[in-house]
Amino acid sequence: MVGAGTAVLTSAVGADDVRVRIECRSDDLDSGVGEGPFDATCLGRVQAWRPASRELVVRPIALFQ
């Protein structure tokens, strides 16, 4: 469950509909990050694999744009 003030970032990985999902507080993001796609690198820790949605959930430590 994603609460108010939470940003969800996702990215496709490979060709099998697998996605990486990152959830963080919206307040922690730079104000220059808007809606839509952008390039970034995430340093984080894997939290879970959700087989139903084919998502790898990562807890972010830092996002570099």
Side-chain angles (χ1 to χ4, degrees), residues 2-26:
V2 178
T6 301
V8 177
L9 308 171
T10 63
S11 179
V13 179
D16 295 329
D17 294 328
V18 174
R19 300 193 70 75
V20 172
R21 178 184 182 94
I22 299 166
E23 296 179 8
C24 58
R25 291 184 6 199
S26 299

Side-chain angles (χ1 to χ4, degrees), residues 22-45:
I22 299 166
E23 296 179 8
C24 58
R25 291 184 6 199
S26 299
D27 293 346
D28 290 341
L29 292 175
D30 186 307
S31 60
V33 175
E35 298 291 323
F38 64 92
D39 292 325
T41 301
C42 177
L43 172 65
R45 186 170 201 178

Side-chain angles (χ1 to χ4, degrees), residues 40-58:
T41 301
C42 177
L43 172 65
R45 186 170 201 178
V46 172
Q47 293 296 102
W49 166 248
R50 295 180 180 166
S53 59
R54 300 188 53 77
E55 290 179 323
L56 181 67
V57 180
V58 175

